[in-house]
Each structure stands twice: as C-alpha cells, then as structure tokens.
Amino acid sequence: MTDCSIDLLSLSLPELEDVIVSLGEPKYRAKQIFDGMLRGVAPDGLTTLSKATKEKLAKHTVCFFPRIERKLVSAIDGTVKYLFGLSDGHCVEAVVMKYHHGNTICISSQVGCRMGCRFCASTIGGRVRNLSPSELLGQVIVAQRDTAERIGGIVMMGIGEPLDNYDNVIRFLRLVGDEHGINIGYRHISLSTCGLVDGIRRLSAENLPITLSISLHAADDETRSDIMPINRKWNIESLLRACRDWYAITGRRISFEYTLIRDKNDRPEDAERLAEVLNRALRTRTETMPIHVNLIPVNEVKESGFLHSDKAAVSRFAAILEKRGIRATVRRTLGADINASCGQLRRAHEAEQA
C-alpha cells in the first residue's frame, strides 16, 4: 500500500467502475468487486478474479475491513459490542442493538474525540484522527457479516463527533444509503452532535432526510459550559436557533439527548428550566416544532466522578416535561452486563497494550 493507493471501499459503484476501467479491466469487474466488499470480502478473496487482476489491484488500490479485536455479547438482551482494530493499530467501538423491528448499529466516527464532554469516556485522551468513509462503512459491513443478520438502522453516536469529521461522514451517508449498496434508508439513520452549529447548518443543506440528535444535557449556559466545553463557542441560544432553522429547512424532527447527572442537572427546577427554554426557542405563534427529549441516566465513568440519577428523579424529570407539553422518553439500557456505552472498551484495551 502506498499513499496514492485508491481506497476501494470509499467509492460508489460508478466511481469504482471508472477505476477498474482505468486499470484496463472490463467494467463488469467493478460490480463483482463491489458486491464482494458489501459481503465483507476484499478483492484478494474473490474467486471470480484472476491472479493477474488481483495483483493489479494490490498495486494500485487498497481494501481493508476492521478486525474484530474483541466481541462481547449481552446475556440479558443480545446486544453485541465490538472493539474494531483499524489498519494503523488504533481501535474504535461499535454496538449492535437488537429491537423487535430489527437491528441497529451504533458506530464511531473518530478515533478518540476532542470535544471534552466531562461525562464521556470517549473524549479522554482527545482525538487521534478521523475515520475514513471506508472505516465508517466497514463497521456496518463487518458487524452485519459477523451477526449474519441484516442491519437496518444506524446511530452515529459512538466514539467521536460526527460533524467534526464532516466530509467523510457525508460521503459515508451517501454510500450507505445508495440503492446499489447496503441501502439503509436515511429515515433509519440518526446522527448525534454535541452542538457544532456550523456543521448543523451545513448538514441542513445536504438533502439527507436523516434524524438529527442534539446532545443538550443542560438548560442553562453555566451548567452546559461546565460539562460541555463546546457551549463556550456556541451557546444554547445559538444552538437552538440552528435547530429551529434545521426543522424549517428539512421538516425533519430533532431528538434532544439529555444525560441526567445526580445533583447536577436532574432537579425539578432543571426540568422546569429545560421545558421553558425549549418551548420559548422552538415554538412560536406561527410554527410549532415537535420536541422530543430522550432522557439518559449518565454512564458512570470513573474519571468524571458523576453519578447517575435514581429512578425517582428520572421519573419526576420526565413527568415535568410531559406536563409542559414536551414528549419525554427514558432510554432503555441495553447491554448493561457488557458496559455497552462507548469508550470504555477502547480505554481498557489501550491500558492492556501499554
């Protein structure tokens, strides 16, 4: 592999056809290679290709799938957590969640993260690098091959901030939604951001009918800036303005993620303030935006010192939002026996390798 090698898995079928023809191969070879990659088989493993063709591809192109370094399966609900090894030795995590309507995978978008959210294990150590489109797509392909079950939904809520890897994430979304590829419907794809306002505004113009999830986690700037440094650049007012504009442009609803931290943001007055802020910013006389808040008891990470809220506090918080006209749900915990929340498995692996 050289720096000028063409990354086959990052190409659409028409782009792959152009590459194959430029290498002096018949156009139909591209479809053979493309279909093989969607099954998780690199060109050198395809019996339909000659030795000469494989050698030519090896000289000018590269196709690498994430390796399964570790795999944990929940005895409670069948959730599968993967630690994927990348070509440079770094690792990321992905989680396959099984629902009655089908399987959804939560994938990572970066090795590490530079956003610095205090409750998150993924950001400890900062960002190492962005994932390529092929590394994003590879997580879906390898998990689908390993489970032998179709994955019908994607959540971009793993390690990293998707909008901090904007161009690669957009290419991935177009590849994964391509009718010639895995063909996962955009309405079954959710992208979560901690609040990169410029990225939200760019995304609204992409004509991708995905669901946008906003990691809000506080109703006032002081609290949010303390736990989420990104708020010092784009505060709650500017973030919610971008959300209102997103809805006006796309017509697509937004899910607001709110991690409940004991004695930090889970009090009744926090719920009242959150309802007031959301209603004031997103509902006007001329337009009423649907508001959904997904409540998430914080995952207890040793380095943060944060504790999750008790059940009574969670129920009380949800009831206050509902009373104020805001739909509130409490995220069901999946894979509790395998620490399915992102970041912890990667950190444990790095500690073992140190």
Side-chain angles (χ1 to χ4, degrees):
M1 176 180 173
T2 65
D3 290 340
C4 60
S5 295
I6 299 169
D7 185 357
L8 296 180
L9 196 56
S10 287
L11 302 179
S12 65
L13 179 57
E15 291 170 336
L16 181 56
E17 289 173 341
D18 289 342
V19 169
I20 294 305
V21 171
S22 74
L23 294 177
E25 294 289 325
K27 184 178 178 179
Y28 70 83
R29 291 284 188 218
K31 188 67 165 61
Q32 293 176 325
I33 295 168
F34 193 78
D35 289 346
M37 292 190 301
L38 293 181
R39 299 194 309 272
V41 181
D44 61 3
L46 294 175
T47 58
T48 53
L49 300 183
S50 69
K51 181 180 178 182
T53 299
K54 292 178 182 179
E55 289 176 348
K56 193 182 299 182
L57 289 169
K59 183 178 180 180
H60 298 283
T61 71
V62 63
C63 180
F64 179 86
F65 291 96
R67 300 180 302 271
I68 300 175
E69 298 288 350
R70 290 191 66 186
K71 175 184 175 182
L72 304 176
V73 182
S74 171
I76 300 173
D77 50 39
T79 297
V80 184
K81 183 168 186 176
Y82 293 100
L83 181 71
F84 285 134
L86 306 176
S87 60
D88 59 1
H90 289 297
C91 293
V92 293
E93 297 175 24
V95 178
V96 176
M97 300 162 286
K98 301 189 175 186
Y99 300 100
H100 68 276
H101 54 75
N103 296 341
T104 292
I105 186 169
C106 177
I107 66 170
S108 297
S109 57
Q110 297 175 309
V111 179
C113 181
R114 63 173 177 170
M115 296 297 108
C117 299
R118 288 178 55 201
F119 53 83
C120 181
S122 299
T123 197
I124 299 171
R127 182 187 67 177
V128 178
R129 67 173 178 85
N130 290 331
L131 296 188
S132 66
S134 63
E135 289 171 327
L136 294 164
L137 190 60
Q139 295 173 68
V140 183
I141 291 173
V142 173
Q144 189 164 255
R145 180 186 62 191
D146 183 66
T147 60
E149 297 179 6
R150 172 166 170 77
I151 290 175
I154 297 173
V155 179
M156 302 198 74
M157 199 181 289
I159 296 173
E161 162 57 57
L163 296 184
D164 193 36
N165 184 17
Y166 189 88
D167 291 337
N168 288 341
V169 164
I170 293 301
R171 172 165 277 269
F172 159 72
L173 289 173
R174 298 200 185 282
L175 287 172
V176 81
D178 189 335
E179 63 180 356
H180 299 295
I182 296 179
N183 194 22
I184 294 178
Y186 289 122
R187 285 173 170 76
H188 300 291
I189 298 176
S190 177
L191 182 150
S192 177
T193 176
C194 66
L196 276 65
V197 168
D198 56 349
I200 294 171
R201 294 195 178 281
R202 288 180 68 190
L203 186 62
S204 67
E206 296 285 354
N207 194 29
L208 291 168
I210 63 174
T211 297
L212 182 65
S213 294
I214 302 294
S215 295
L216 193 56
H217 308 316
D220 64 273
D221 284 327
E222 181 180 0
T223 302
R224 192 167 192 268
S225 293
D226 180 48
I227 61 177
M228 302 181 71
I230 193 66
N231 196 72
R232 299 165 195 162
K233 183 172 184 179
W234 288 295
N235 64 11
I236 293 174
E237 181 182 358
S238 63
L239 174 58
L240 294 183
R241 189 183 308 120
C243 292
R244 187 174 64 239
D245 293 343
W246 160 277
Y247 181 72
I249 293 169
T250 69
R252 298 287 295 160
R253 72 174 181 85
I254 291 175
S255 176
F256 291 94
E257 311 290 332
Y258 193 100
T259 294
L260 289 163
I261 304 169
R262 187 187 303 177
D263 299 327
K264 182 72 174 178
N265 65 355
D266 68 341
R267 298 158 298 188
E269 55 266 37
D270 294 312
E272 293 284 359
R273 188 181 300 115
L274 178 62
E276 179 184 355
V277 166
L278 292 177
N279 279 324
R280 184 177 66 245
L282 304 177
R283 289 173 170 167
T284 67
R285 293 180 179 179
T286 58
E287 186 173 36
T288 299
M289 176 178 166
I291 305 175
H292 172 220
V293 175
N294 192 16
L295 300 173
I296 311 163
V298 72
N299 181 47
E300 295 185 358
V301 177
K302 180 178 64 176
E303 290 85 351
S304 75
F306 290 149
L307 302 176
H308 62 73
S309 305
D310 60 39
K311 290 184 178 180
V314 174
S315 297
R316 183 171 59 241
F317 202 101
I320 291 172
L321 293 181
E322 292 281 357
K323 186 177 180 180
R324 296 290 298 275
I326 294 175
R327 181 172 173 244
T329 55
V330 180
R331 179 181 293 175
R332 183 162 62 99
T333 300
L334 296 176
D337 56 329
I338 58 172
N339 287 326
S341 297
C342 269
Q344 295 175 315
L345 187 56
R346 171 176 170 258
R347 283 188 55 76
H349 178 76
E350 288 178 342
E352 292 170 0
Q353 301 301 309

